[in-house]
Amino acid sequence: GWLGGRQQAERTLFDQVIAERNQKPMTANQAVWFFNQGVILAKQGNQEAAIEKYRRAVELSPQYVGAMANLGGLLNGTGQHAEALTVLRRAIEIMPDSAESNNYLADALRGLGRAQDAVLYYEKAVKLRPSWDVAFVNLGVTLESLGRLDEAIARYEEALRLTPDSAEVHH
């Protein structure tokens, strides 16, 4: 059940893998191990443990943009916007064309009360990934908060075009 499947995972096998894993020295290639643990923990709702796994992945592989993006997203979700901003700026330095990093950086800026700055990164995220309804909604919410209602409506309409059956987008 750890990965959301209907079949129960075999605990003894998992414990054996963990025991073997703890006997091997850590390398940058093993950052994926921690990244995957972070994904599972986040899906289980254990954000704090997932944050620690993503931090470990980035520590082992300082160029691991995927881990940085996920870390930044979770930091935002737990109200740690200043730290998220630092992590995500680094991710964008490494990979400027990461839609996720740009979107999460905008989330951090918005969380810090810098909505006008956030708009620039949301706009970049939607340009980089024009099929991502979440980025359009985030941009719309931010524009709405700035009183730019016509622009916000246009972004919401684009999100609706992309996902017409989404209750969140309709909201």
Side-chain angles (χ1 to χ4, degrees):
W2 291 314
L3 299 176
R6 294 185 190 268
Q7 242 180 342
Q8 195 65 7
E10 198 176 318
R11 180 65 191 208
T12 55
L13 179 59
F14 182 77
D15 290 341
Q16 178 186 349
V17 169
I18 295 296
E20 289 173 8
R21 172 73 192 88
N22 289 334
Q23 294 174 3
K24 297 177 183 174
M26 293 287 142
T27 67
N29 292 337
Q30 292 166 322
V32 174
W33 171 266
F34 288 101
F35 175 86
N36 290 338
Q37 288 180 11
V39 169
I40 292 167
L41 289 164
K43 291 221 181 270
Q44 291 175 336
N46 191 345
Q47 285 85 8
E48 290 303 320
I51 286 170
E52 290 311 311
K53 297 300 180 180
Y54 289 134
R55 282 186 176 134
R56 185 74 171 119
V58 172
E59 178 184 310
L60 289 168
S61 183
Q63 305 291 314
Y64 199 161
V65 172
M68 289 179 208
N70 285 11
L71 174 58
L74 284 178
L75 289 168
N76 280 327
T78 58
Q80 300 173 66
H81 303 295
E83 184 180 352
L85 189 65
T86 301
V87 169
L88 294 161
R89 280 192 171 143
R90 176 71 181 126
I92 290 171
E93 284 176 15
I94 297 165
M95 187 183 295
D97 293 339
S98 166
E100 290 79 8
S101 295
N102 279 280
N103 182 73
Y104 293 144
L105 178 66
D107 288 345
L109 289 165
R110 190 173 67 187
L112 291 168
R114 297 172 52 190
Q116 189 61 51
D117 295 332
V119 168
L120 300 172
Y121 290 95
Y122 285 133
E123 286 177 342
K124 187 169 181 184
V126 299
K127 284 178 186 163
L128 290 168
R129 196 162 144 201
S131 62
W132 194 15
D133 64 319
V134 171
F136 279 101
V137 169
N138 289 340
L139 178 54
V141 167
T142 305
L143 290 167
E144 185 178 349
S145 76
L146 294 168
R148 296 165 57 181
L149 301 183
D150 290 339
E151 292 173 82
I153 290 168
R155 296 324 182 279
Y156 293 143
E157 287 174 343
E158 182 60 22
L160 273 174
R161 187 189 67 73
L162 293 167
T163 54
D165 296 332
S166 170
E168 180 183 357
V169 174
H170 278 279
H171 173 73

